[in-house]
C-alpha cells in the first residue's frame, strides 16, 4: 500500500499509544487466556409485530461487548489520525475499502489484539462502514425488502418490512457516531445539521427520503428516519398484483394519466402517495416536458423529458432560502407541459392551482388528507394560511375548477396499502364542492390472521366528467370498456 494512506504511520502510532489492547473477552493480548467457552450471540429482542412473510432477523454483528466497543474506538481513532482522507476520496468504493481494510489489519497487528478470523473481518467491515458509508445502517440499506428505517437514538433501531414494524438489535456506538452519520447524509445534498439548524430533510444517493432531528430538540439523542423506495420502478400492473387496485381500476387510472387530467393524490403518511404518483407519470406522453418541484428530490419519473427542482434551506446567515413557492412560480417560466409538486404543504398550493388553470393540463401533486373532500378543504386552508386575502368560497371555486380527479390512498392497519377512492371533482353547489366517486374500496372484515378483507367496487358511473378529454386523446372506447368491465366485476 502507498505511504499516502499512512499505513506505516498507523502501525507506528498504534505501537506507541497502545502496546497491549484487551481482546473481546477482556484479557490482554499478551496475557495467558483462560479456556474459551462457546461463543454465544445475544438473543435478538422480539419483533414488535411478526412480518408477513417472515424474513431473516437483522442482527448486529458481532457481539457488542464493552471490550469490543473500546477496541473499535481505539482502532478507529488510530485510523483517522493516520489515513489521508483526501487521497482516499479519490478512489472508487472497492479500492477505498481495500485500503482501509489493510490499514485496520496493520493497526490490529500492532495492538496485538487477539481476535478470531471472523471477528477481525466483522470489525474491519464495521470500521469501513463508519469511514466510507453509513456505519451500522449499511446492512439495512443493502436490503431491498425494508421500506422504512427508524433510528430512535443509539440503541433503538426499527425497520418496516412488508408493512410490519420490527425492532432490530443493531446499535450505534454512541450519540457522536449517530450524529456523524446524520451529518454525512445531509452534507451530501448541501445541507447542514447543528444546534442552530437541528431539523433537516435530505435524501440518499438512491433517492431515499431522509429526515433528521437532533438535540436539543430530540431529547434522547438524534432521531433519523429513512423512507426507502424500490430500485425497480413500480407500475400500476404491479400494484394490481399487490391488491392495491383492481385491473379495471388500474386501466382507468392509466387513461386518467394519459389524457392530462389534473390530479391530486391524497393520503396519510406511508400510504403510497409518491409511489402512485411515480406510476401515473409513466402514462404521460414521451414528448411532454415535465417539471417537478420537491422539498427533497425523491420522485423517480418514468419519462425522458424531465427537469427536477429542489428547495434550498437558508444558510448560516439566514439567507439564500428557496421555498417551494419560489420553485413553482419559476417553473411556470420554463415552458412546462406538466407541473408536478412532490408534496403540497403550504402557500405553493395557490400557485399550483393557478398553473392547473392556465393550460398546464396533467399537473399533479400530493398532500396529506384522509378523504377526497378533506383534501379540498386542506388546500383551502393552506392557501389561507399563506396570507392570501380571498373569500373561502373563491378559494373553493378555484380548487374545483382546477382539479379534475382526486385519488385517495390509505395504509390499512394490517400494513397493506389500498387505493380507496378514485373521485371526480364536478363543480360547486352553493359553497359545497360536488364530488363523484368512480371507484371505492369497501371494508368487509378481517381474516383469522388479522389481514383486512375488502373489495374494490365501481359506482356504476358510465360516462365520467373527463369523457370529452378522453375522446380528445382517442381513448373513449378504451375508457368505455374499462368502465363496463369494472361494473360487471362488482
Amino acid at each position: 500500500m502507498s505511504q499516502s494512506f499512512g499505513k506505516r504511520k498507523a502501525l507506528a502510532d498504534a505501537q506507541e499509544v497502545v502496546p497491549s489492547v484487551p481482546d473481546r473477552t477482556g484479557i490482554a493480548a499478551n496475557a495467558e487466556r483462560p479456556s474459551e467457552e462457546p461463543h454465544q450471540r445475544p438473543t435478538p429482542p422480539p419483533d414488535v409485530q411478526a412480518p408477513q412473510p417472515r424474513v431473516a432477523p437483522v442482527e448486529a454483528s458481532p457481539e457488542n461487548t464493552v471490550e469490543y466497543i473500546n477496541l473499535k474506538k481505539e482502532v478507529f481513532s488510530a485510523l483517522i489520525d493516520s489515513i489521508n482522507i483526501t487521497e482516499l476520496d479519490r478512489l472508487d468504493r472497492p479500492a477505498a475499502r481495500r485500503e482501509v481494510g489493510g490499514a485496520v489489519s496493520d493497526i490490529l497487528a500492532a495492538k496485538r489484539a487477539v481476535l478470531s478470523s471472523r471477528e477481525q473481518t466483522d470489525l474491519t467491515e464495521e470500521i469501513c462502514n463508519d469511514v466510507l458509508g453509513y456505519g451500522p445502517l449499511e446492512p439495512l440499506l443493502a436490503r431491498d425488502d425494508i421500506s422504512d428505517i427508524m433510528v430512535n437514538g443509539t440503541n433503538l433501531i426499527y425497520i418496516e418490512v412488508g408493512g410490519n414494524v420490527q425492532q432490530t438489535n443493531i446499535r450505534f456506538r454512541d450519540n457522536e457516531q449517530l450524529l456523524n452519520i446524520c451529518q454525512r447524509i445531509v452534507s451530501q445534498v448541501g445541507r447542514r445539521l447543528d444546534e442552530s439548524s437541528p431539523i433537516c430533510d435530505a435524501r440518499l444517493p438512491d433517492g431515499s427520503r431522509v429526515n433528521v432531528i437532533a438535540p436539543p430538540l430530540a431529547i434522547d439523542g438524534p432521531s433519523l428516519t429513512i423512507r426507502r423506495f424500490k430500485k425497480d420502478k413500480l407500475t400500476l400492473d404491479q400494484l394490481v398484483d399487490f391488491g392495491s387496485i383492481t385491473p379495471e381500476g388500474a386501466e382507468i387510472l392509466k387513461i386518467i394519466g394519459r389524457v392530462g387530467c389534473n390530479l391530486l393524490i391524497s393520503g396519510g403518511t406511508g400510504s403510497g402517495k409518491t409511489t402512485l404518483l411515480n406510476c401515473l407519470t409513466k402514462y404521460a406522453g414521451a414528448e411532454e416536458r415535465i417539471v417537478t418541484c420537491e422539498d427533497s428530490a425523491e420522485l423517480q419519473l418514468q419519462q425522458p423529458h424531465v427537469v427536477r427542482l429542489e428547495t434550498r434551506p437558508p444558510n448560516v446567515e439566514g439567507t439564500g432560502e428557496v421555498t417551494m413557492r419560489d420553485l413553482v412560480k419559476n417553473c411556470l417560466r420554463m415552458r412546462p407541459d406538466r407541473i408536478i409538486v412532490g408534496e403540497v404543504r403550504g402557500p405553493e398550493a395557490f400557485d399550483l392551482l393557478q398553473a392547473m388553470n392556465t393550460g398546464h393540463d396533467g399537473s399533479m401533486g400530493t398532500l396529506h388528507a384522509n378523504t377526497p373532500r378533506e383534501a379540498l378543504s386542506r388546500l383551502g386552508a393552506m392557501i389561507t394560511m399563506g396570507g392570501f386575502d380571498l373569500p373561502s368560497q373563491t378559494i373553493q371555486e378555484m380548487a374545483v375548477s382546477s382539479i379534475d380527479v382526486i385519488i385517495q390512498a390509505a395504509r390499512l392497519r394490517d400494513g397493506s396499502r389500498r387505493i380507496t377512492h378514485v373521485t371526480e371533482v364536478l363543480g360547486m353547489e352553493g359553497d359545497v364542492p360536488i364530488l363523484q366517486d368512480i371507484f371505492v374500496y369497501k371494508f368487509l372484515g378481517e381474516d383469522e390472521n388479522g389481514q383486512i378483507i375488502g373489495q374494490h367496487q365501481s359506482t356504476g358511473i358510465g360516462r365520467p366528467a373527463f369523457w370529452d378529454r378522453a375522446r380528445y386523446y382517442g381513448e373513449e372506447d378504451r375508457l368505455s370498456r374499462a368502465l363496463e368491465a369494472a361494473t360487471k366485476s362488482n
Side-chain angles (χ1 to χ4, degrees):
M1 178 177 176
S2 64
Q3 290 184 350
S4 60
F5 293 95
K7 287 183 66 176
R8 294 180 181 177
K9 182 178 184 298
L11 183 62
D13 289 347
Q15 289 174 330
E16 292 177 4
V17 176
V18 185
S20 179
V21 178
D23 68 6
R24 294 180 57 190
T25 62
I27 307 299
N30 56 357
E32 183 179 356
R33 300 185 60 180
S35 60
E36 295 186 357
E37 297 180 357
H39 180 70
Q40 298 291 331
R41 187 181 297 278
T43 302
D47 295 339
V48 176
Q49 184 177 357
Q52 298 291 336
R54 185 157 183 83
V55 296
V58 178
E59 297 183 349
S61 175
E63 182 181 3
N64 287 327
T65 62
V66 175
E67 292 80 7
Y68 175 80
I69 292 174
N70 290 336
L71 174 61
K72 182 180 173 184
K73 285 182 180 179
E74 294 170 0
V75 174
F76 184 81
S77 297
L79 179 69
I80 292 301
D81 290 341
S82 61
I83 62 175
N84 188 327
I85 297 295
T86 303
E87 293 291 336
L88 200 63
D89 289 340
R90 295 175 182 174
L91 299 178
D92 58 24
R93 187 70 177 266
R97 292 185 78 88
R98 287 195 298 270
E99 296 289 356
V100 172
V104 169
S105 297
D106 284 354
I107 294 172
L108 288 173
K111 292 178 179 292
R112 298 194 295 275
V114 179
L115 298 174
S116 69
S117 176
R118 177 183 177 277
E119 291 169 340
Q120 181 169 336
T121 299
D122 288 337
L123 184 141
T124 302
E125 181 69 17
E126 288 186 12
I127 292 181
C128 285
N129 289 339
D130 286 346
V131 175
L132 303 172
Y134 304 118
L137 299 180
E138 283 287 332
L140 301 181
L141 294 172
R143 286 178 51 175
D144 292 334
D145 59 332
I146 296 177
S147 57
D148 285 273
I149 300 172
M150 297 153 279
V151 180
N152 305 346
T154 58
N155 296 321
L156 289 175
I157 293 91
Y158 293 86
I159 59 175
E160 180 183 315
V161 179
N164 297 287
V165 175
Q166 57 181 286
Q167 184 178 349
T168 74
N169 63 350
I170 287 178
R171 303 289 182 266
F172 284 86
R173 184 174 62 247
D174 49 33
N175 278 337
E176 182 181 0
Q177 182 192 20
L178 174 54
L179 189 59
N180 286 339
I181 296 298
C182 294
Q183 289 173 334
R184 181 177 304 163
I185 291 173
V186 304
S187 64
Q188 290 176 340
V189 290
R191 306 197 174 190
R192 61 191 178 89
L193 182 72
D194 50 39
E195 288 191 2
S196 62
S197 180
I199 299 178
C200 184
D201 289 318
R203 68 179 188 278
L204 296 179
D206 64 359
S208 298
R209 180 194 310 168
V210 177
N211 175 266
V212 183
I213 182 166
L217 302 186
I219 298 174
D220 299 322
S223 178
L224 172 66
T225 307
I226 301 176
R227 169 69 53 79
R228 305 189 64 218
F229 301 99
K230 290 184 178 295
K231 296 178 181 178
D232 298 328
K233 299 174 183 178
L234 289 177
T235 64
L236 283 176
D237 293 332
Q238 289 175 298
L239 295 187
V240 171
D241 295 337
F242 298 152
S244 298
I245 190 66
T246 62
E248 299 80 15
E251 188 71 10
I252 294 173
L253 291 183
K254 293 176 184 178
I255 296 170
I256 288 173
R258 172 73 186 101
V259 303
C261 292
N262 289 326
L263 286 176
L264 199 60
I265 300 176
S266 168
T269 299
S271 60
K273 300 186 298 296
T274 302
T275 297
L276 184 55
L277 185 59
N278 282 327
C279 291
L280 290 171
T281 59
K282 176 180 179 180
Y283 303 98
E287 73 283 355
E288 295 186 63
R289 176 175 170 87
I290 302 174
V291 181
T292 69
C293 305
E294 301 175 80
D295 276 324
S296 181
E298 62 194 28
L299 290 174
Q300 299 173 318
L301 298 194
Q302 305 180 36
Q303 298 300 327
H305 196 168
V306 176
V307 179
R308 306 169 69 204
L309 307 180
E310 185 179 56
T311 61
R312 184 177 70 185
N315 57 23
V316 179
E317 291 78 22
T319 60
E321 180 181 17
V322 179
T323 65
M324 181 70 78
R325 192 172 180 208
D326 295 330
L327 294 183
V328 175
K329 287 192 295 185
N330 183 78
C331 74
L332 293 173
R333 308 182 182 100
M334 299 174 64
R335 200 266 177 209
D337 291 310
R338 300 191 188 214
I339 297 172
I340 297 179
V341 178
E343 185 170 334
V344 182
R345 49 175 90 166
E348 67 272 6
F350 179 82
D351 300 286
L352 178 61
L353 294 181
Q354 290 282 76
M356 290 178 171
N357 253 328
T358 54
H360 301 91
D361 294 336
S363 294
M364 307 177 187
T366 71
L367 59 73
H368 286 83
N370 296 319
T371 66
R373 191 169 295 277
E374 284 185 21
L376 290 177
S377 298
R378 280 214 67 207
L379 270 181
M382 287 186 286
I383 292 174
T384 302
M385 289 188 296
F388 296 95
D389 189 14
L390 296 172
S392 60
Q393 184 168 352
T394 301
I395 296 175
Q396 286 290 339
E397 289 175 350
M398 183 190 312
V400 166
S401 63
S402 302
I403 299 169
D404 297 313
V405 177
I406 299 175
I407 302 174
Q408 183 72 37
R411 178 183 173 190
L412 307 183
R413 55 188 172 84
D414 64 350
S416 62
R417 294 169 174 83
R418 297 287 185 269
I419 296 172
T420 60
H421 295 78
V422 178
T423 304
E424 283 192 292
V425 183
L426 300 181
M428 297 281 292
E429 185 174 322
D431 58 352
V432 178
I434 303 174
L435 305 181
Q436 175 176 268
D437 292 331
I438 300 176
F439 253 88
V440 294
Y441 181 76
K442 295 293 186 181
F443 170 74
L444 302 178
E446 63 179 57
D447 62 19
E448 62 276 7
N449 298 319
Q451 301 297 307
I452 298 296
I453 301 174
Q455 181 181 9
H456 287 94
Q457 296 181 352
S458 168
T459 58
I461 299 298
R463 181 167 289 204
F466 60 87
W467 180 273
D468 289 337
R469 185 181 293 275
R471 185 171 58 186
Y472 175 76
Y473 280 85
E475 299 283 355
E476 73 274 17
D477 291 340
R478 182 181 169 201
L479 177 59
S480 178
R481 291 192 299 269
L483 290 168
E484 183 179 355
T487 302
K488 290 180 178 180
S489 66
N490 284 347

